[in-house]
Amino acid sequence: MTLLGKTIHIAADLVLVSTCLAGIRRNTGLTLNKDFLLQDPGFQNFVGKYLEVGETVYDYSVASASSSSSFVRK
């Protein structure tokens, strides 16, 4: 696999992990404790933006599933 292919694969995996964390937050209310990671405000800002990507993908996925005839609410 080329370097570009590996980079795309890792980026997609990171987005999936962020989306899973967004789903956990939305369904349970549990969230990642950013203060636990590091005391560096720059890193905490990066983690916050990383989690926002997951929130965006989660919102888009829910909206797409809601408008699709393949999914129904119970």
Coordinates of all heavy atoms in Angstrom, one line a residue:
M1 N 0.8 -1.2 0.0 CA 0.0 0.0 0.0 C 0.9 1.2 0.0 O 1.9 1.3 0.7 CB -0.9 0.0 1.2 CG -2.0 1.0 1.2 SD -3.0 1.0 2.7 CE -4.2 -0.2 2.3
T2 N 0.5 2.2 -0.8 CA 1.3 3.4 -0.9 C 1.2 4.3 0.4 O 0.3 4.1 1.2 CB 0.9 4.2 -2.1 OG1 -0.4 4.7 -1.9 CG2 1.0 3.4 -3.4
L3 N 2.0 5.3 0.4 CA 2.0 6.2 1.6 C 0.6 6.9 1.6 O 0.0 7.1 2.6 CB 3.1 7.1 1.5 CG 3.2 8.2 2.7 CD1 3.4 7.4 4.0 CD2 4.4 9.1 2.5
L4 N 0.2 7.3 0.4 CA -1.1 8.1 0.3 C -2.2 7.2 0.7 O -3.1 7.6 1.4 CB -1.3 8.6 -1.1 CG -2.6 9.3 -1.4 CD1 -2.7 10.6 -0.6 CD2 -2.8 9.6 -2.9
G5 N -2.2 5.9 0.3 CA -3.3 5.0 0.7 C -3.3 4.7 2.2 O -4.4 4.7 2.8
K6 N -2.1 4.6 2.8 CA -2.1 4.4 4.3 C -2.6 5.7 5.0 O -3.3 5.6 6.0 CB -0.7 4.1 4.7 CG -0.2 2.7 4.4 CD 1.1 2.4 4.9 CE 1.6 1.0 4.5 NZ 2.9 0.6 5.1
T7 N -2.2 6.8 4.5 CA -2.7 8.1 5.1 C -4.2 8.2 5.1 O -4.8 8.6 6.0 CB -2.0 9.3 4.4 OG1 -0.6 9.1 4.5 CG2 -2.4 10.6 5.1
I8 N -4.8 7.9 3.9 CA -6.2 7.9 3.8 C -6.9 6.9 4.7 O -7.9 7.2 5.3 CB -6.6 7.7 2.3 CG1 -6.2 8.9 1.5 CG2 -8.1 7.5 2.1 CD1 -6.3 8.8 0.0
H9 N -6.3 5.7 4.8 CA -6.9 4.7 5.6 C -6.9 5.1 7.1 O -7.8 4.9 7.8 CB -6.1 3.4 5.4 CG -6.6 2.2 6.2 ND1 -6.2 1.9 7.4 CD2 -7.6 1.3 5.8 CE1 -6.8 0.8 7.8 NE2 -7.7 0.5 6.9
I10 N -5.8 5.6 7.5 CA -5.6 6.1 8.9 C -6.6 7.2 9.2 O -7.2 7.3 10.3 CB -4.2 6.5 9.3 CG1 -3.3 5.2 9.3 CG2 -4.1 7.2 10.6 CD1 -1.8 5.4 9.4
A11 N -6.7 8.2 8.3 CA -7.6 9.3 8.4 C -9.1 8.8 8.5 O -9.8 9.3 9.4 CB -7.5 10.3 7.3
A12 N -9.4 7.9 7.7 CA -10.8 7.3 7.8 C -11.0 6.6 9.1 O -12.1 6.7 9.7 CB -11.0 6.4 6.6
D13 N -10.1 5.9 9.6 CA -10.2 5.2 10.9 C -10.3 6.2 12.0 O -11.2 6.0 12.9 CB -9.0 4.3 11.2 CG -9.0 3.1 10.3 OD1 -10.0 2.7 9.7 OD2 -7.9 2.4 10.3
L14 N -9.6 7.3 12.0 CA -9.7 8.3 13.0 C -11.1 9.0 13.0 O -11.7 9.3 14.0 CB -8.6 9.4 12.8 CG -7.2 8.9 13.2 CD1 -6.2 10.0 12.8 CD2 -7.1 8.6 14.7
V15 N -11.6 9.2 11.8 CA -13.0 9.8 11.7 C -14.0 8.8 12.3 O -14.9 9.2 13.0 CB -13.3 10.2 10.2 CG1 -14.8 10.5 10.1 CG2 -12.5 11.3 9.8
L16 N -13.9 7.5 12.0 CA -14.8 6.5 12.5 C -14.7 6.5 14.1 O -15.8 6.4 14.7 CB -14.5 5.1 12.0 CG -14.9 4.9 10.5 CD1 -14.4 3.6 10.0 CD2 -16.4 5.0 10.4
V17 N -13.5 6.6 14.6 CA -13.4 6.6 16.1 C -14.1 7.8 16.7 O -14.8 7.7 17.7 CB -11.9 6.5 16.5 CG1 -11.7 6.8 18.0 CG2 -11.3 5.1 16.2
S18 N -13.8 9.0 16.0 CA -14.5 10.2 16.5 C -16.0 10.1 16.4 O -16.7 10.6 17.3 CB -13.9 11.4 15.7 OG -14.5 12.6 16.1
T19 N -16.5 9.5 15.3 CA -17.9 9.3 15.2 C -18.5 8.4 16.2 O -19.6 8.7 16.8 CB -18.2 8.8 13.8 OG1 -17.7 9.7 12.8 CG2 -19.7 8.7 13.5
C20 N -17.8 7.3 16.6 CA -18.2 6.4 17.6 C -18.3 7.2 19.0 O -19.2 7.0 19.7 CB -17.3 5.2 17.7 SG -17.5 4.1 16.4
L21 N -17.3 8.0 19.2 CA -17.3 8.8 20.5 C -18.5 9.8 20.5 O -19.1 10.0 21.5 CB -16.0 9.5 20.6 CG -14.8 8.7 21.0 CD1 -13.5 9.5 20.9 CD2 -14.9 8.0 22.3
A22 N -18.8 10.3 19.3 CA -20.0 11.2 19.3 C -21.3 10.5 19.5 O -22.2 11.0 20.2 CB -20.0 11.9 17.9
G23 N -21.4 9.3 19.0 CA -22.6 8.5 19.2 C -22.7 8.1 20.7 O -23.8 8.1 21.3
I24 N -21.6 7.8 21.3 CA -21.6 7.4 22.8 C -22.1 8.7 23.6 O -22.9 8.6 24.5 CB -20.2 7.0 23.2 CG1 -19.9 5.6 22.6 CG2 -20.1 6.9 24.7 CD1 -18.5 5.1 22.8
R25 N -21.6 9.8 23.2 CA -21.9 11.1 23.9 C -23.4 11.4 23.7 O -24.1 11.7 24.7 CB -21.1 12.3 23.4 CG -21.3 13.5 24.3 CD -20.6 14.7 23.7 NE -21.3 15.3 22.6 CZ -22.4 16.0 22.6 NH1 -23.0 16.2 23.8 NH2 -22.9 16.5 21.5
R26 N -23.9 11.2 22.5 CA -25.3 11.5 22.2 C -26.3 10.5 22.9 O -27.3 10.9 23.4 CB -25.6 11.5 20.7 CG -24.9 12.6 20.0 CD -25.7 13.9 20.1 NE -25.0 14.9 19.3 CZ -25.2 15.3 18.1 NH1 -26.1 14.6 17.4 NH2 -24.6 16.3 17.6
N27 N -25.9 9.3 23.0 CA -26.8 8.3 23.5 C -26.7 8.0 25.0 O -27.7 7.6 25.6 CB -26.6 6.9 22.8 CG -27.0 7.0 21.3 OD1 -28.1 7.6 21.0 ND2 -26.2 6.4 20.4
T28 N -25.5 8.3 25.6 CA -25.4 8.0 27.0 C -25.1 9.3 27.8 O -25.2 9.3 29.0 CB -24.2 7.0 27.2 OG1 -23.0 7.6 26.8 CG2 -24.5 5.7 26.5
G29 N -24.6 10.3 27.2 CA -24.2 11.5 27.9 C -22.7 11.5 28.4 O -22.2 12.5 28.9
L30 N -22.1 10.4 28.2 CA -20.7 10.2 28.6 C -19.8 10.9 27.5 O -20.0 10.8 26.3 CB -20.3 8.8 28.7 CG -21.0 8.0 29.8 CD1 -20.6 6.5 29.6 CD2 -20.6 8.5 31.1
T31 N -18.8 11.7 28.0 CA -17.9 12.3 27.0 C -16.5 12.1 27.5 O -16.2 11.8 28.6 CB -18.2 13.8 26.9 OG1 -17.5 14.4 25.9 CG2 -18.0 14.6 28.2
L32 N -15.6 12.4 26.6 CA -14.1 12.2 26.8 C -13.7 13.4 27.7 O -14.0 14.5 27.5 CB -13.4 12.3 25.5 CG -11.9 12.0 25.5 CD1 -11.7 10.5 26.0 CD2 -11.3 12.2 24.2
N33 N -12.9 13.0 28.8 CA -12.4 14.0 29.7 C -11.1 14.6 29.1 O -10.1 14.0 29.2 CB -12.2 13.4 31.1 CG -11.7 14.4 32.1 OD1 -11.7 15.6 31.8 ND2 -11.4 13.9 33.3
K34 N -11.2 15.8 28.5 CA -10.1 16.4 27.9 C -9.0 16.8 28.9 O -7.9 16.9 28.5 CB -10.5 17.5 27.0 CG -11.3 17.1 25.8 CD -11.6 18.2 24.9 CE -12.8 19.0 25.4 NZ -13.3 20.0 24.5
D35 N -9.4 17.1 30.1 CA -8.5 17.6 31.1 C -7.6 16.4 31.5 O -6.4 16.6 32.0 CB -9.2 18.1 32.3 CG -10.0 19.4 32.0 OD1 -9.6 20.1 31.1 OD2 -10.9 19.6 32.7
F36 N -8.1 15.2 31.4 CA -7.3 14.0 31.8 C -6.1 13.8 30.8 O -5.1 13.3 31.2 CB -8.2 12.8 31.8 CG -7.5 11.5 32.1 CD1 -7.0 11.2 33.3 CD2 -7.3 10.6 31.0 CE1 -6.4 10.0 33.6 CE2 -6.7 9.4 31.3 CZ -6.2 9.1 32.6
L37 N -6.3 14.2 29.6 CA -5.3 13.8 28.5 C -4.0 14.6 28.8 O -3.0 13.9 29.1 CB -5.8 14.2 27.2 CG -7.0 13.4 26.7 CD1 -7.6 13.9 25.4 CD2 -6.7 11.9 26.6
L38 N -4.0 15.8 28.7 CA -2.8 16.6 28.9 C -3.2 18.0 29.4 O -4.3 18.5 29.1 CB -1.9 16.8 27.6 CG -1.1 15.6 27.2 CD1 -0.5 15.9 25.9 CD2 0.0 15.3 28.2
Q39 N -2.3 18.7 30.0 CA -2.6 20.0 30.5 C -2.4 21.1 29.4 O -2.6 22.3 29.6 CB -1.8 20.4 31.8 CG -2.1 19.5 32.9 CD -3.6 19.6 33.4 OE1 -4.2 20.6 33.3 NE2 -4.2 18.5 33.8
D40 N -1.8 20.7 28.3 CA -1.5 21.6 27.2 C -2.8 22.1 26.5 O -3.6 21.3 26.0 CB -0.6 20.9 26.2 CG -0.2 21.8 25.0 OD1 -0.2 23.0 25.2 OD2 0.1 21.3 23.9
P41 N -3.1 23.4 26.6 CA -4.3 23.9 26.0 C -4.4 23.7 24.5 O -5.5 23.5 23.9 CB -4.3 25.4 26.3 CG -3.2 25.6 27.3 CD -2.3 24.4 27.3
G42 N -3.2 23.7 23.8 CA -3.2 23.5 22.4 C -3.7 22.1 22.0 O -4.4 21.9 21.1
F43 N -3.3 21.1 22.8 CA -3.7 19.7 22.5 C -5.1 19.5 22.9 O -5.8 18.8 22.2 CB -2.8 18.8 23.4 CG -3.1 17.3 23.1 CD1 -2.7 16.8 21.9 CD2 -3.7 16.5 24.0 CE1 -2.9 15.4 21.6 CE2 -4.0 15.2 23.7 CZ -3.6 14.7 22.5
Q44 N -5.6 20.2 23.9 CA -7.0 20.1 24.3 C -7.9 20.7 23.2 O -8.9 20.2 22.9 CB -7.3 20.8 25.6 CG -6.7 20.0 26.8 CD -7.0 20.7 28.1 OE1 -7.5 21.8 28.2 NE2 -6.6 20.0 29.2
N45 N -7.4 21.8 22.6 CA -8.1 22.4 21.5 C -8.2 21.5 20.3 O -9.2 21.4 19.6 CB -7.4 23.8 21.1 CG -8.2 24.5 20.1 OD1 -9.4 24.4 20.0 ND2 -7.5 25.3 19.3
F46 N -7.1 20.8 20.0 CA -7.0 19.8 18.9 C -8.0 18.7 19.2 O -8.7 18.3 18.2 CB -5.6 19.3 18.8 CG -5.5 18.2 17.8 CD1 -5.5 18.5 16.4 CD2 -5.4 16.9 18.2 CE1 -5.4 17.4 15.5 CE2 -5.3 15.8 17.3 CZ -5.3 16.1 15.9
V47 N -8.0 18.2 20.4 CA -9.0 17.1 20.7 C -10.4 17.6 20.6 O -11.3 16.9 20.1 CB -8.7 16.5 22.1 CG1 -9.8 15.6 22.6 CG2 -7.3 15.9 22.2
G48 N -10.7 18.8 21.0 CA -12.0 19.4 20.8 C -12.4 19.4 19.3 O -13.6 19.1 19.0
K49 N -11.5 19.9 18.5 CA -11.8 20.0 17.1 C -12.0 18.6 16.5 O -12.8 18.3 15.6 CB -10.8 20.8 16.3 CG -10.8 22.2 16.7 CD -10.0 23.0 15.7 CE -10.0 24.5 16.1 NZ -11.3 25.1 15.9
Y50 N -11.2 17.6 16.9 CA -11.3 16.2 16.5 C -12.6 15.7 16.8 O -13.3 15.0 16.0 CB -10.1 15.4 17.1 CG -10.3 13.9 16.9 CD1 -10.1 13.4 15.7 CD2 -10.5 13.1 18.0 CE1 -10.2 12.0 15.5 CE2 -10.6 11.7 17.9 CZ -10.4 11.2 16.6 OH -10.5 9.8 16.5
L51 N -13.1 15.9 18.0 CA -14.4 15.4 18.4 C -15.6 16.1 17.7 O -16.6 15.5 17.4 CB -14.6 15.6 19.9 CG -13.7 14.7 20.8 CD1 -13.9 15.1 22.3 CD2 -13.9 13.3 20.6
E52 N -15.4 17.4 17.3 CA -16.4 18.1 16.5 C -16.5 17.5 15.1 O -17.6 17.5 14.6 CB -16.0 19.6 16.3 CG -16.2 20.4 17.6 CD -15.7 21.8 17.4 OE1 -15.6 22.3 16.2 OE2 -15.5 22.5 18.4
V53 N -15.4 16.9 14.6 CA -15.5 16.2 13.3 C -16.5 15.0 13.4 O -17.3 14.8 12.6 CB -14.1 15.8 12.8 CG1 -14.2 14.8 11.6 CG2 -13.3 17.0 12.4
G54 N -16.3 14.3 14.5 CA -17.2 13.1 14.7 C -18.6 13.6 14.9 O -19.6 12.9 14.4
E55 N -18.9 14.7 15.6 CA -20.2 15.2 15.8 C -20.9 15.5 14.4 O -22.0 15.2 14.2 CB -20.2 16.4 16.6 CG -19.8 16.2 18.1 CD -20.9 15.6 18.9 OE1 -22.1 15.7 18.6 OE2 -20.6 14.9 19.9
T56 N -20.1 16.2 13.5 CA -20.6 16.5 12.2 C -20.9 15.3 11.4 O -22.0 15.2 10.7 CB -19.5 17.4 11.5 OG1 -19.2 18.5 12.3 CG2 -20.0 17.8 10.1
V57 N -20.0 14.3 11.4 CA -20.3 13.1 10.6 C -21.5 12.3 11.2 O -22.3 11.8 10.5 CB -19.0 12.2 10.6 CG1 -19.3 10.8 10.0 CG2 -17.9 12.9 9.9
Y58 N -21.6 12.3 12.5 CA -22.7 11.7 13.2 C -24.0 12.4 12.8 O -25.0 11.7 12.4 CB -22.6 11.7 14.7 CG -23.6 11.0 15.4 CD1 -23.6 9.6 15.6 CD2 -24.7 11.6 16.0 CE1 -24.6 8.9 16.3 CE2 -25.7 11.0 16.7 CZ -25.6 9.6 16.8 OH -26.6 8.9 17.5
D59 N -24.1 13.7 12.8 CA -25.3 14.4 12.4 C -25.6 14.2 11.0 O -26.8 14.0 10.6 CB -25.1 15.9 12.6 CG -25.0 16.3 14.1 OD1 -25.6 15.6 14.9 OD2 -24.5 17.4 14.4
Y60 N -24.7 14.2 10.1 CA -24.9 13.9 8.7 C -25.4 12.5 8.5 O -26.4 12.3 7.7 CB -23.6 14.1 7.9 CG -23.8 13.9 6.4 CD1 -24.4 14.8 5.6 CD2 -23.4 12.7 5.8 CE1 -24.6 14.6 4.2 CE2 -23.5 12.5 4.5 CZ -24.2 13.4 3.7 OH -24.3 13.2 2.4
S61 N -24.9 11.5 9.2 CA -25.3 10.1 9.1 C -26.7 10.0 9.5 O -27.5 9.3 8.9 CB -24.4 9.2 9.9 OG -23.1 9.3 9.4
V62 N -27.1 10.6 10.6 CA -28.4 10.5 11.2 C -29.4 11.1 10.2 O -30.5 10.6 9.9 CB -28.5 11.1 12.6 CG1 -30.0 11.2 13.0 CG2 -27.8 10.2 13.6
A63 N -29.1 12.3 9.7 CA -29.9 13.0 8.7 C -30.1 12.2 7.5 O -31.2 12.1 6.9 CB -29.4 14.4 8.4
S64 N -29.1 11.5 7.0 CA -29.2 10.7 5.8 C -30.0 9.5 6.0 O -30.9 9.1 5.2 CB -27.8 10.3 5.3 OG -27.0 11.4 4.9
A65 N -29.9 8.9 7.2 CA -30.7 7.7 7.5 C -32.1 8.0 7.7 O -33.0 7.3 7.4 CB -30.1 7.0 8.8
S66 N -32.4 9.2 8.3 CA -33.8 9.6 8.5 C -34.5 9.9 7.2 O -35.7 9.6 7.2 CB -33.8 10.9 9.4 OG -33.2 10.7 10.6
S67 N -33.8 10.4 6.2 CA -34.5 10.7 5.0 C -34.5 9.5 4.0 O -35.1 9.6 3.0 CB -33.8 11.9 4.3 OG -32.5 11.5 3.9
S68 N -33.9 8.4 4.4 CA -33.8 7.2 3.6 C -35.1 6.3 3.9 O -35.5 6.2 5.0 CB -32.6 6.4 3.9 OG -32.6 5.2 3.2
S69 N -35.5 5.6 2.8 CA -36.6 4.7 3.0 C -36.2 3.3 3.6 O -37.0 2.5 3.9 CB -37.4 4.5 1.7 OG -36.5 3.9 0.8
S70 N -34.9 3.2 3.7 CA -34.3 1.9 4.2 C -34.4 1.8 5.7 O -34.2 0.7 6.3 CB -32.8 1.8 3.8 OG -32.7 1.8 2.4
F71 N -34.6 3.0 6.4 CA -34.6 3.0 7.9 C -36.0 3.5 8.3 O -36.6 4.3 7.7 CB -33.6 3.9 8.4 CG -32.2 3.5 8.1 CD1 -31.5 3.9 7.0 CD2 -31.5 2.6 9.0 CE1 -30.2 3.5 6.7 CE2 -30.2 2.2 8.8 CZ -29.6 2.6 7.6
V72 N -36.5 2.9 9.4 CA -37.8 3.3 10.0 C -37.6 3.5 11.5 O -36.7 2.9 12.1 CB -38.9 2.2 9.8 CG1 -39.2 2.1 8.3 CG2 -38.5 0.9 10.3
R73 N -38.4 4.4 12.1 CA -38.3 4.6 13.5 C -39.3 3.7 14.2 O -40.4 3.4 13.8 CB -38.7 6.1 13.9 CG -37.7 7.1 13.4 CD -37.9 8.4 14.1 NE -37.1 9.4 13.6 CZ -35.9 9.7 14.1 NH1 -35.4 9.0 15.1 NH2 -35.1 10.6 13.5
K74 N -38.8 3.2 15.4 CA -39.7 2.3 16.2 C -39.9 2.9 17.5 O -39.2 3.6 18.1 CB -39.1 0.9 16.3 CG -39.2 0.1 15.1 CD -38.8 -1.3 15.4 CE -39.1 -2.1 14.2 NZ -39.1 -3.5 14.5

